[in-house]
């Protein structure tokens, strides 16, 4: 499946004339069992595509909320192998929802690129977002991933021009992730107008689906961006709910999963309520 599963999901969203909701959580946050329970509940709560973070100690693009999520997961003993096994457990019940693994190259390099791609595809992962591999480094992972049938989602930012976009798209696939702010996740509030202008500009050169993320924190925000984007990504706001429902030893209370999924349902309703352009 892999890339095909992502493409089918965006085709379905297009047929329904609506944007998709992409949710982000970190694998193993706050513990493996709770993380898997959340993961399994996300599709029913309204997540159209699921982005899972690989816990990493030295992130470049993640703000405080997701950094803390990685720390909680790493303290709980989460590893890349356990992350792959968690996705495999999810796939026992769900063969339709695309899963994108987000993170940094170091754990994959240590794991071994060929072995990683084989194991990730076997586990049921459909695409990758590897933040610290720019297009100049596509030979490291993007090109092998493309050859293996794995989607490779590249990032564009407010500083990306059309020349750079062509480089980004050369080996990118699945969708384009447009970073709405010039900063790290979950910090500044994005301005709608320049984001829409950037996507309109890019659409003159490509028909790849475009998701927007970074700083989108509530259902109303999700609705506003869903009026023109192909998907809306929410991460830090979801991860913050996990943080608010663990004690100092990172032990989850009994309300955590329900509160996360309830918020995802509110986000989904916001996305679905968006009035789309013809």
């Amino acid at each position: 499946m892999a890339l095909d599963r992502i493409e089918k999901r965006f085709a379905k969203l297009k047929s329904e004339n609506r944007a998709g909701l992409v949710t982000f959580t970190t694998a193993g946050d706050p513990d493996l069992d709770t993380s898997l329970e959340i993961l399994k509940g996300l599709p029913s709560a309204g997540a159209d595509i699921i982005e899972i973070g690989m816990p990493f100690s030295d992130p470049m693009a993640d703000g405080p909320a997701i950094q803390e999520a990685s720390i909680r997961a790493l303290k709980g003993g989460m590893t890349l192998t356990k992350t792959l096994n968690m996705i495999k457990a999810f796939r026992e019940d769900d063969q339709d929802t695309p899963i994108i693994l987000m993170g940094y190259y170091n754990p994959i390099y240590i794991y071994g690129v060929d072995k990683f791609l084989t194991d990730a595809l076997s586990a049921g992962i459909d695409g990758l977002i590897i933040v610290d591999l720019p297009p100049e480094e596509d030979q490291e992972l993007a090109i092998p991933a493309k050859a293996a049938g794995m989607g490779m989602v590249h990032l564009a930012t407010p500083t990306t021009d059309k020349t750079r976009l062509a480089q980004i798209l050369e080996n990118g696939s699945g969708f384009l992730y447009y970073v709405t702010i010039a900063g790290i996740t979950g910090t500044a509030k994005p301005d709608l107008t320049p984001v829409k202008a950037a996507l309109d500009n890019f659409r003159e050169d490509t028909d790849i689906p475009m998701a927007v993320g970074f700083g989108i924190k509530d259902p109303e925000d999700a609705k506003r961006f869903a009026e023109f984007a192909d998907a809306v990504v929410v991460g830090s706001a979801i991860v913050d709910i996990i943080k608010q429902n663990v004690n100092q030893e990172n032990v989850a209370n009994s309300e955590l999963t329900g509160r996360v999924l309830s918020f995802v349902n509110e986000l989904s309703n916001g996305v679905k309520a968006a009035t789309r352009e013809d």
Side-chain angles (χ1 to χ4, degrees):
M1 294 287 284
L3 179 59
D4 183 56
R5 189 152 32 207
I6 301 172
E7 292 174 342
K8 284 183 177 178
R9 180 51 52 100
F10 275 105
K12 180 174 183 290
L13 292 167
K14 187 174 183 179
S15 73
E16 296 171 357
N17 191 32
R18 72 175 180 89
L21 173 64
V22 183
T23 60
F24 174 93
T25 56
T26 298
D29 177 31
D31 60 75
L32 179 54
D33 289 343
T34 305
S35 185
L36 178 58
E37 184 180 28
I38 292 170
L39 180 62
K40 287 188 172 183
L42 286 172
S44 296
D48 296 295
I49 296 172
I50 295 172
E51 184 184 344
I52 293 289
M54 293 183 286
F56 187 57
S57 59
D58 302 287
M60 295 168 55
D62 296 319
I66 296 177
Q67 289 182 35
E68 292 175 13
S70 274
I71 291 170
R72 288 193 293 270
L74 290 170
K75 281 185 175 177
M78 200 63 185
T79 64
L80 179 52
T81 297
K82 289 180 180 178
T83 299
L84 297 179
N85 288 337
M86 193 176 87
I87 306 304
K88 192 177 294 183
F90 170 85
R91 281 284 176 240
E92 291 174 1
D93 302 316
D94 190 314
Q95 291 294 317
D96 298 322
T97 308
I99 290 191
I100 312 295
L101 195 63
M102 177 270 176
Y104 300 85
Y105 184 49
N106 183 276
I108 296 172
Y109 177 79
I110 297 299
Y111 194 94
V113 169
D114 291 343
K115 182 176 183 343
F116 168 76
L117 288 172
T118 298
D119 291 352
L121 287 165
S122 176
I125 292 168
D126 306 304
L128 304 172
I129 301 173
I130 306 302
V131 178
D132 53 353
L133 281 181
E136 288 79 3
E137 305 299 334
D138 275 352
Q139 75 280 359
E140 291 283 341
L141 184 60
I143 292 173
K146 189 176 184 179
M150 177 73 78
M152 193 72 191
V153 178
H154 278 339
L155 303 174
T157 74
T159 62
T160 301
D161 60 20
K162 287 198 172 188
T163 300
R164 183 64 174 170
L165 179 67
Q167 289 180 285
I168 289 170
L169 294 177
E170 184 174 357
N171 294 302
S173 57
F175 60 93
L176 180 71
Y177 189 134
Y178 186 79
V179 177
T180 57
I181 59 173
I184 54 178
T185 59
T187 51
K189 189 177 179 66
D191 188 349
L192 190 82
T193 302
V195 174
K196 183 178 186 305
L199 266 58
D200 287 344
N201 188 36
F202 290 169
R203 284 188 173 118
E204 294 177 357
D205 297 324
T206 179
D207 58 1
I208 193 171
M210 297 185 190
V212 298
F214 281 42
I216 300 173
K217 295 185 175 182
D218 56 47
E220 186 58 33
D221 272 349
K223 177 184 175 184
R224 291 163 62 233
F225 284 94
E227 291 177 354
F228 60 88
D230 298 303
V232 177
V233 186
V234 181
S236 295
I238 297 172
V239 170
D240 272 339
I241 295 175
I242 295 175
K243 177 184 176 181
Q244 293 160 9
N245 286 277
V246 298
N247 64 20
Q248 291 184 337
E249 286 73 40
N250 293 331
V251 176
N253 65 37
S254 61
E255 305 294 323
L256 188 155
T257 299
R259 287 173 176 165
V260 168
L261 298 181
S262 177
F263 180 61
V264 170
N265 187 247
E266 292 174 14
L267 293 169
S268 175
N269 289 337
V271 167
K272 290 175 180 174
T275 301
R276 302 280 288 177
E277 295 179 346
D278 292 332

